[in-house]
């Protein structure tokens, strides 16, 4: 798991310099596919339930599962989530980050705040992970964090974190909205993702009828997501997909 997660975080690190105005999301897909091969890994998404690409690229109002395309070009001021899962030695490592197209300065204050708050929400969820805690505690922590920002953000409910290991998606389901003291109890050695999707407007989403994958916000407002694969340790939590850069 450490090795698979390291491949994923190294690719996400390298994407920072690759993401630029004018490239297509298919260019990102090709970059990820090649990097994966060079690392002796394979992309978990390719062929997963028929998903056609080696990563997910979710731009602006796309919540998750955006399908890379040569027709989707990045513009200055856009925000994009790139979700990479590497399969190596029989294990999957799953993580995603947000990127500012043309640099953070090129994006609106509103978009920058959304991206930052979503990352903080993910860490608020991870911060309560320890043996004996419950899955619902993670959702409650994220929900409380978002509430305390004072902004009317929507937390997506239809898509959740998940156990990850020999299978891409395993139990438990890791909710981003939840009740403290509810759900599965966390034990040392468990590995799962925490991957909140936060919207500027409504939490409601629409699944594309065109490709059957792309999930968009129901109101067209922008959305952000961050994801780590997390190990429950004796003390608390370790992010296996943390950046390898300082
Ligand atoms: N990596 C995504 C997740 O965080 C799953 C993508 S499945 C796909 O769980 F089929 F859409 F690629
Ligand atoms: Co995931
Ligand atoms: Co993912």
């Amino acid at each position: 798991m450490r090795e698979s997660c390291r491949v994923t975080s190294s690719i996400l690190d390298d994407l920072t310099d690759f993401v630029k105005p004018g490239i297509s999301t298919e260019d990102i897909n090709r970059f990820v596919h090649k990097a994966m091969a060079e690392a002796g890994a394979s992309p978990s998404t390719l062929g997963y339930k028929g998903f056609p690409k080696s990563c997910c690229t979710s731009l602006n109002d796309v919540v998750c599962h955006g399908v890379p395309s040569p027709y989707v070009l990045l513009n200055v001021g856009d925000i994009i989530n790139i979700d990479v899962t590497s399969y190596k030695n029989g294990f999957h490592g799953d993580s995603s980050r947000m990127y500012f197209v043309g640099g953070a300065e090129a994006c609106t204050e509103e978009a920058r705040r959304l991206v930052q708050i979503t990352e903080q929400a993910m860490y608020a969820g991870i911060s309560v992970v320890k043996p004996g805690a419950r899955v619902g505690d993670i959702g409650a922590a994220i929900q409380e964090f978002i509430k305390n920002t004072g902004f009317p953000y929507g937390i997506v409910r239809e898509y959740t974190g998940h156990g990850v290991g020999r299978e891409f998606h395993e139990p438990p389901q890791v909710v981003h909205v939840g009740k403290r003291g509810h759900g599965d109890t966390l034990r040392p050695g468990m590995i799962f993702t925490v991957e909140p999707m936060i919207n500027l407007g409504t939490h409601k989403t629409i699944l594309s009828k065109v490709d059957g994958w792309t999930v968009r916000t129901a109101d067209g407002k922008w959305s952000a997501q961050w994801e780590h694969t997390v190990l429950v340790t004796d003390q608390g939590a370790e992010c296996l997909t943390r950046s390898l850069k300082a």
Side-chain angles (χ1 to χ4, degrees):
M1 280 306 288
R2 288 188 187 285
E3 171 88 29
S4 306
C5 288
R6 205 152 44 223
V7 171
T8 293
S9 45
S10 138
I11 294 172
L12 291 172
D13 283 347
D14 292 343
L15 280 165
T16 306
D17 288 335
F18 185 74
V19 171
K20 274 184 242 52
I23 68 166
S24 70
T25 52
E26 174 59 22
D27 291 330
I28 296 171
N29 176 62
R30 264 192 269 113
F31 182 94
V32 170
H33 192 89
K34 186 163 170 278
M36 201 74 81
E38 283 166 4
S42 59
S44 307
T45 56
L46 187 58
Y48 176 77
K49 294 185 177 171
F51 191 83
K53 299 288 174 175
S54 299
C55 61
C56 298
T57 50
S58 302
L59 189 65
N60 300 336
D61 65 317
V62 177
V63 172
C64 63
H65 304 165
V67 183
S69 157
Y71 304 110
V72 176
L73 303 178
L74 306 191
N75 289 304
V76 176
D78 286 346
I79 57 170
I80 186 167
N81 172 280
I82 306 178
D83 193 333
V84 171
T85 310
S86 310
Y87 184 67
K88 191 169 181 184
N89 302 325
F91 293 92
H92 300 268
D94 186 6
S95 182
S96 78
R97 298 183 198 163
M98 295 300 295
Y99 300 84
F100 297 107
V101 181
E105 325 75 56
C107 298
T108 63
E109 171 67 33
E110 187 183 51
R112 280 201 299 267
R113 193 170 56 213
L114 172 69
V115 167
Q116 187 190 29
I117 279 173
T118 305
E119 184 177 20
Q120 290 170 347
M122 172 187 68
Y123 284 118
I126 293 170
S127 73
V128 300
V129 172
K130 62 176 183 194
R134 310 281 287 265
V135 162
D137 300 353
I138 299 171
I142 291 170
Q143 211 175 349
E144 198 165 290
F145 174 82
I146 290 297
K147 188 169 168 230
N148 288 340
T149 65
F151 291 99
Y153 295 116
I155 308 173
V156 173
R157 286 144 167 79
E158 294 97 325
Y159 305 90
T160 66
H162 50 89
V164 57
R166 289 189 187 277
E167 300 293 332
F168 190 175
H169 294 111
E170 301 176 351
Q173 180 167 289
V174 179
V175 290
H176 303 121
V177 168
K179 271 204 191 131
R180 209 157 259 124
H182 286 245
D184 292 358
T185 301
L186 308 185
R187 306 278 176 221
M190 282 177 73
I191 301 180
F192 51 81
T193 72
V194 178
E195 49 178 303
M197 287 139 274
I198 308 295
N199 302 343
L200 281 174
T202 178
H203 66 83
K204 292 193 178 134
T205 64
I206 296 171
L207 177 63
S208 166
K209 289 198 178 93
V210 179
D211 61 25
W213 283 106
T214 306
V215 178
R216 291 191 176 79
T217 58
D219 59 9
K221 293 192 177 171
W222 287 12
S223 179
Q225 179 177 29
W226 288 81
E227 173 178 25
H228 269 313
T229 291
V230 174
L231 165 71
V232 183
T233 64
D234 291 334
Q235 325 292 331
E238 181 183 344
C239 294
L240 299 181
T241 45
R242 64 189 176 276
S243 173
L244 308 174
K245 297 254 168 91

